[in-house]
Amino acid sequence: MPSKTVEFTDLNVAQPTPILDAALRNAMLNNNIFVRDLYKTRKTFDGGTYVEVPILKNFDDAEAFTKFTSTTLVEEENLTMGRWPVCYYKKHIAIHDIDDVANSGPDKLLDLMTVKYQAAQMGMESVLEKDVAGSTGGVTNHLDGLPLMVADAPATGTIGGLDRATETYMQNQTTNFNGVVANLKIDDIDGLYYDCSFGSAKPKIGWTSKTIFKRIKQIGQAMVQASPDMIMKFGADTLQINGCPIKWSDQISTRFYWLNTDFIQFRVDKKRDMFLTPFIPDQVSGWQVKTLLFYAALVCTCPKYQGVLYGIS
C-alpha cells in the first residue's frame, strides 16, 4: 500500500517510524479488507472537502445488425459523478514532563512514547473498523459504512449523493435468509456470490460476523471430511470460498457481505493522508500533546457488484 513519511520531534522515541508505517498500512481495518487509494479531494464552497468519483451508469449490450440495416447514432450517457464527504478522525498522544523525565536514560524499562504511538494506532484502527462494519455509519461526523453502502434495502436512501430509488445502478445485491444461523448453508452464500458476479467482475472477499464465520467453518470441515477435493480452505482466522478469503469482524452482526474491492475502497486526500502534528507544550500544566489525524471516505463506484445476505438470527 502507498505510505507517507512522517517526521517526528525527538522526544524519547528511538524508532517511531515503523510504528506509524504500520498504522498507515492497517488503519483502515486490521485485516486490510479495503485498499487505501490516495486521491485528490475537492473543496466545497463553505470549506469542506469531498471525493468526486465517476460512476458507470449502465452496461448496455452492443447492437447487432446486417449490412442491409441502416443504423442510427444514439448518444448514451453512461457516466455520472458520485460525491462522498470526507470524514476527519483524530487521536491525541500526550505525555507529561514528569513522565518524560522519569522515562529517560539508559536504565528505562520501556519506551513510553512508543507505547503511546501503538495505542494511538490501535485506537484509530478500532474506530475505523467500527464505522465501516458497524452501526455508526451515517451518524453525524462518521463516514458511511457498509450498512448504508451495501444496504438491506438498496432501493431507498442516497449513496454518493445519488437517489437509489431512481438511480437503480446504485442498488446493491441482497438476499434475505430469514432463518437461524444453524440452518445456514454454503448454497445460500454461494447464490449471493453469483448474483454479484458479472462477466469477469466477481467478488474478491467475504466479510461477516464471528458467529457466521464459525458456522461456515463448521460446514467446510464437514464438506472436506466427506470429500477431500472440495474447493474450500479453512484455518484459524480465514476461510476461502470460490477462491475468495472470508474474514470476520466483531463489528458485524447477522450479515454476510460479498465485496468486489475493485469498486469499493478508502479514498484519502493525497496531500494529507495520515499524519502527526508537532508536539504542543503547555507551560502551565506540563503536558505535551500531538495529534494523529486521518482523512478518508469510503467510496463505492459500483454497488451492483456488492451484496449482503441478511436476516440471519
Side-chain angles (χ1 to χ4, degrees), residues 258-275:
W258 275 121
L259 304 173
N260 187 326
T261 50
D262 288 341
F263 303 98
I264 184 168
Q265 66 267 139
F266 272 98
R267 293 294 178 101
V268 182
D269 193 330
K270 284 182 179 179
K271 292 183 177 179
R272 288 180 284 201
D273 200 359
M274 183 181 290
F275 69 96

Side-chain angles (χ1 to χ4, degrees), residues 151-153 174-179 254-256 308-312:
D152 297 354
T174 64
T175 298
N176 185 356
F177 178 68
N178 194 26
T254 68
R255 283 170 178 76
F256 182 98
V308 58
L309 180 69
Y310 68 97
I312 307 171

Side-chain angles (χ1 to χ4, degrees), residues 13-14 52 72 85 128 179 217 221 239 248 254 289 304 309:
V13 183
E52 187 174 53
T72 304
L128 286 172
K217 184 174 181 179
Q221 288 171 329
L239 300 167
W248 62 269
T254 68
V289 181
K304 179 179 179 180
L309 180 69

Side-chain angles (χ1 to χ4, degrees), residues 39 52-60 74-84 160 162 167 169-170 263 300-302:
Y39 194 80
E52 187 174 53
V53 183
I55 296 172
L56 188 61
K57 291 177 61 173
N58 55 51
F59 309 87
D60 291 341
V74 178
E75 184 178 357
E76 296 181 352
E77 185 185 0
N78 290 322
L79 288 176
T80 189
M81 301 300 290
R83 293 184 175 183
W84 281 264
L162 299 166
E167 311 295 343
Y169 53 87
M170 296 301 288
F263 303 98
C300 185
T301 56
C302 192

Side-chain angles (χ1 to χ4, degrees), residues 1-3 23-39 51 128 132 143 146 204-205 207 245 259-269 273 294-301 306:
M1 288 186 179
S3 62
L24 288 168
R25 289 192 302 272
N26 299 330
M28 297 74 62
L29 299 169
N30 284 316
N31 39 20
N32 289 330
I33 287 180
F34 296 102
V35 174
R36 195 169 96 261
D37 183 16
L38 299 184
Y39 194 80
V51 175
L128 286 172
V132 171
L143 58 78
L146 289 183
K204 301 296 179 64
I205 195 164
W207 206 22
L259 304 173
N260 187 326
T261 50
D262 288 341
F263 303 98
I264 184 168
Q265 66 267 139
F266 272 98
R267 293 294 178 101
V268 182
D269 193 330
D273 200 359
F294 187 59
Y295 306 85
L298 184 63
V299 171
C300 185
T301 56
Q306 324 298 331

Side-chain angles (χ1 to χ4, degrees), residues 171-226:
Q171 298 178 12
N172 56 268
Q173 308 298 321
T174 64
T175 298
N176 185 356
F177 178 68
N178 194 26
V180 297
V181 67
N183 293 333
L184 185 66
K185 298 179 176 60
I186 291 298
D187 287 347
D188 301 311
I189 296 170
D190 223 23
L192 181 62
Y193 173 89
Y194 291 109
D195 288 343
C196 298
S197 301
F198 299 87
S200 60
K202 295 178 174 61
K204 301 296 179 64
I205 195 164
W207 206 22
T208 189
S209 69
K210 186 189 298 185
T211 301
I212 296 173
F213 180 91
K214 290 166 69 175
R215 170 59 182 164
I216 297 170
K217 184 174 181 179
Q218 180 186 39
I219 298 170
Q221 288 171 329
M223 293 171 69
V224 172
Q225 288 172 1

